[in-house]
Amino acid sequence: MAGSKSKQNSETDVHRVTTSDDIEVATYLEIAKEMGGEQPVAAREAVPGAEREAIVVIDFGSQYSLLIARRIRECQVYCELVSYDTPWEKIAPLKPKGFILSGGPASVYRPGAPLAPAYVYESHLPVMGICYGMQVLTKQLGGQVSPGVKQEYGHAILHLSGLDSPLFAGMEDSSPVWMSHGDRIEDMPPGFVALASTENSPVAVMGSDNRIFGLQFHPEVAHTPQGKTILKNFAYNICGCRGNWTIGNFINDSIARTKKLVGSGKLINALSGGVDSAVVATLIHRAVGDQLTCIYVNNGLLRREEVERTFKVFKENLGMQIVYVDASERFLDRLKGVIDPEVKRKVIGEEFIEVFEEEANKIGRVDFLAQGTLYPDVIESAASGSTASAKIKTHHNVGGLPAKMRLQLIEPLRSLFKDEVRQVGLELGMPEEMVWRQPFPGPGLAIRIIGEVTKEKLELLRSADFIVMNEIKKAKLYRPLWQTFAVLTDVKSVGVMGDYRTYGYIVALRAVTSEDAMTADWARLPYDLLARISNRIVNEVPGVNRVVYDITSKPPSTIEWE
Ligand code: XMP
């Protein structure tokens, strides 16, 4: 561990490290600031790097809605998703240049079906309705929607008739598209013409005045290969966007805004070693330098070499002010005898808040807490809102801290997707090792040890995990896979080693692919790689005599075992 030790007490071992690095303060940043509850980004200041143009997706609840926003952003146009009942005042700060009406599970001809707010039409801005969104605008503009004779799901071939429409610039006359709808357009609203058809949908695309369009298929999904061209054409040719949503712009704006918002205030953040908190810290450090203090709590549940590596990056590479707290003993004490996964999470979460608060109090006056909330988290919590969605697991993060400590929250990444966060990290000059780190849960190895967490089991799991990481990296699979790790089960089995009977633990290997952790598939790892990992674990980790591979996807499983 690098750094000078300046304070010790019986429970925690604290290193305070101050940097002399004078990182040049760049010129940007947006801060999502708030105390407590969730608020759409649009309700606050305009988003960094997006003042000049934005497209707003009006969400009717399609499983693909977030994907639309993502695709538009891939075209360098800022895009946000808002619920269909969002008032104009919350959208106005975004200065939208066009609207997209998403798909959704409802049927427009049923009573109470959600419709687009009046401002979508009254603004005279371009509008594109996708699937249900097309049916919404058909109904609201005076056309007729009816239940389709035949439901249409899956692939269809789109034939363009309106070849000169700027929406189709650069497209083939016919191309595959992905359909998922029951209802269809019976009569187009006045002024609309059909621009494309499929076998089952005579009006697969309709348009009016080169300004309002309806698409019966989903351009945002990968199964519609030319879909991104359509979305880009809408953003550029129809809405007149120029593509100023770049990571460079985002960084510059964010830094400027952070400086303005923070002034001479003091910030803290909880470093976890993960990419989100790391990027937040780096971005804010760029803006306000040593006004930021990072608190890095070692809960004793981290992986081998993790503390050293994280510390090295932040102190040596990035020159930040870090308070390192070794609270391993405290956490392990509290975990004694705890077996229930939810209790483990609760205990770890509470202990974390306690340790963090103690350390923050030692720093003196603090005004802000910086946090690595991402856009999917914002959407997810807004969507789950007050509805009683079933709790699967209590995720441990620094939730609860801001209110308790009366700190103002700064969440500069809350408008970004994970891949955008990584790009910000790379552009800020963070080491690739940190930027491409696989996610690691807040409760750490505790939720990868089934049953009681002990020092011995932690050591055993660390050794197994180290081998997994080492082999996965050697096989160049670390980045393509979402997560790879070992789980220490509480099951022992009989084995034989060198003519002797053994009775040892079973280690499970988990490797998954995923886009966002909401769903995941087990990775089809090569047999040779599985064999190497298994051999090494049983040979190099005493106490383990069997390795199994987890071949369940999420759902029905979850990624972690607890
Ligand atoms: P599950 O197990 O719910 O995990 O499929 C989904 C993703 O979240 C990570 N995870 C957590 N991350 N605190 C975190 O910061 C937590 O308490 C937590 N629990 C699970 C998990 O590693 C996976 O990437």
Side-chain angles (χ1 to χ4, degrees):
M1 168 65 54
S4 63
K5 195 184 282 190
S6 66
K7 185 167 176 24
Q8 268 193 345
N9 62 38
S10 56
E11 290 173 290
T12 55
D13 178 12
V14 182
H15 302 242
R16 284 179 198 283
V17 181
T18 341
T19 169
S20 56
D21 260 23
D22 228 346
I23 289 197
E24 189 196 341
V25 176
T27 48
Y28 151 69
L29 172 55
E30 123 101 9
I31 305 287
K33 59 163 179 169
E34 62 175 9
M35 287 273 301
E38 292 296 333
Q39 212 183 6
V41 174
R44 302 180 307 274
E45 264 187 280
V47 165
E51 285 82 356
R52 286 139 287 171
E53 53 184 42
I55 288 184
V56 169
V57 178
I58 306 285
D59 182 23
F60 293 107
S62 159
Q63 54 180 322
Y64 304 128
S65 297
L66 201 56
L67 206 50
I68 304 174
R70 201 183 170 120
R71 294 282 171 266
I72 295 284
R73 291 217 202 154
E74 284 168 8
C75 302
Q76 267 89 50
V77 173
Y78 186 72
C79 185
E80 267 198 33
L81 183 67
V82 301
S83 170
Y84 67 90
D85 53 3
T86 307
W88 171 248
E89 303 76 67
K90 289 196 173 179
I91 293 188
L94 285 174
K95 302 194 179 106
K97 297 200 88 173
F99 292 101
I100 295 180
L101 310 182
S102 85
S107 248
V108 281
Y109 58 82
R110 295 252 164 83
L115 296 174
Y119 57 75
V120 165
Y121 306 108
E122 287 166 1
S123 65
H124 297 290
L125 289 168
V127 183
M128 183 161 83
I130 294 175
C131 200
Y132 178 77
M134 176 197 209
Q135 292 149 17
V136 163
L137 65 83
T138 300
K139 176 169 177 180
Q140 289 185 292
L141 297 178
Q144 179 76 30
V145 179
S146 62
V149 192
K150 227 167 134 185
Q151 303 207 323
E152 202 178 7
Y153 294 105
H155 282 292
I157 298 295
L158 183 76
H159 300 284
L160 307 183
S161 46
L163 281 168
D164 54 350
S165 170
L167 191 68
F168 298 149
M171 283 179 61
E172 308 281 326
D173 292 5
S174 61
S175 58
V177 292
W178 182 258
M179 291 283 193
S180 172
H181 68 105
D183 298 349
R184 61 181 250 173
I185 308 303
E186 198 61 39
D187 291 315
M188 287 181 281
F192 277 77
V193 291
L195 298 172
S197 59
T198 65
E199 200 183 330
N200 281 318
S201 297
V203 185
V205 180
M206 64 179 191
S208 165
D209 219 10
N210 271 344
R211 186 175 69 82
I212 307 186
F213 297 90
L215 271 56
Q216 190 64 85
F217 58 90
H218 289 271
E220 68 276 23
V221 302
H223 299 300
T224 301
Q226 297 215 46
K228 197 163 155 190
T229 307
I230 297 183
L231 291 170
K232 187 169 185 182
N233 286 340
F234 177 70
Y236 284 70
N237 301 348
I238 310 294
C239 300
C241 297
R242 287 156 301 149
N244 64 12
W245 171 250
T246 63
I247 293 301
N249 279 346
F250 173 85
I251 293 175
N252 288 338
D253 289 356
S254 284
I255 290 174
R257 283 170 197 242
T258 301
K259 284 163 104 173
K260 194 165 149 222
L261 179 81
V262 170
S264 59
K266 293 235 163 157
L267 308 97
I268 48 174
N269 95 316
L271 269 192
S272 69
V275 59
D276 305 337
S277 67
V279 172
V280 164
T282 312
L283 194 54
I284 290 183
H285 188 251
R286 276 285 173 95
V288 295
D290 286 350
Q291 282 166 256
L292 169 72
T293 303
C294 302
I295 299 180
Y296 183 29
V297 178
N298 180 355
N299 57 12
L301 307 166
L302 303 173
R303 290 164 296 184
R304 186 176 290 168
E305 293 181 9
E306 186 148 28
V307 171
E308 293 81 355
R309 283 181 195 216
T310 305
F311 203 76
K312 188 166 179 282
V313 167
F314 284 97
K315 189 191 173 282
E316 289 173 20
N317 297 30
L318 301 168
M320 290 188 201
Q321 183 156 269
I322 302 180
V323 173
Y324 168 73
V325 194
D326 184 353
S328 317
E329 294 297 332
R330 283 175 66 160
F331 278 86
L332 282 180
D333 251 19
R334 295 258 336 241
L335 283 167
K336 265 192 193 130
V338 178
I339 288 171
D340 182 278
E342 275 302 296
V343 180
K344 272 187 198 172
R345 285 172 175 274
K346 194 163 165 278
V347 162
I348 295 167
E350 284 171 3
E351 191 59 28
F352 178 83
I353 291 183
E354 235 165 75
V355 175
F356 189 86
E357 203 180 357
E358 279 173 29
E359 291 311 314
N361 286 339
K362 292 180 196 161
I363 294 171
R365 200 201 84 208
V366 177
D367 312 282
F368 301 90
L369 174 74
Q371 221 169 249
T373 313
L374 304 194
Y375 193 50
D377 307 330
V378 174
I379 295 295
E380 211 177 298
S381 47
S384 56
S386 57
T387 60
S389 55
K391 187 170 82 178
I392 312 296
K393 295 177 188 183
T394 309
H395 277 219
H396 158 78
N397 49 32
V398 286
L401 268 178
K404 190 155 186 246
M405 297 176 63
R406 296 176 190 281
L407 293 175
Q408 199 173 343
L409 254 191
I410 288 192
E411 298 174 307
L413 309 181
R414 61 180 279 141
S415 61
L416 299 190
F417 289 105
K418 189 92 177 179
D419 50 339
E420 292 173 324
V421 172
R422 292 206 160 106
Q423 287 171 42
V424 170
L426 289 173
E427 201 138 326
L428 287 170
M430 292 173 63
E432 297 224 345
E433 183 200 341
M434 175 111 322
V435 170
W436 288 104
R437 226 188 76 140
Q438 290 182 352
F440 184 66
L445 298 179
I447 56 166
R448 294 179 181 172
I449 291 175
I450 312 305
E452 190 185 4
V453 179
T454 62
K455 263 191 186 160
E456 296 68 38
K457 285 184 182 173
L458 277 165
E459 255 330 291
L460 199 149
L461 182 57
R462 279 192 186 108
S463 306
D465 189 75
F466 199 77
I467 293 169
V468 174
M469 279 308 159
N470 184 259
E471 288 297 334
I472 291 287
K473 282 182 180 168
K474 272 203 296 198
K476 302 211 180 321
L477 288 173
Y478 183 79
R479 261 202 222 178
L481 293 173
W482 177 265
Q483 269 170 301
T484 35
F485 55 87
V487 174
L488 180 61
T489 73
D490 60 349
V491 179
K492 284 187 164 184
S493 74
V494 175
V496 54
M497 273 181 187
D499 296 337
Y500 287 100
R501 176 188 190 271
T502 59
Y503 187 55
Y505 280 112
I506 302 180
V507 160
L509 175 64
R510 185 79 164 134
V512 296
T513 53
S514 178
E515 284 247 327
D516 49 17
M518 305 278 288
T519 59
D521 197 6
W522 61 278
R524 273 52 168 181
L525 293 184
Y527 282 173
D528 288 351
L529 175 61
L530 289 170
R532 262 197 312 279
I533 293 174
S534 165
N535 274 340
R536 281 195 60 191
I537 291 178
V538 291
N539 282 307
E540 295 173 34
V541 186
V544 177
N545 67 358
R546 194 178 295 270
V547 176
V548 295
Y549 189 39
D550 180 348
I551 52 165
T552 25
S553 58
K554 172 184 178 177
S557 281
T558 53
I559 296 177
E560 304 290 347
W561 274 36
E562 286 197 338

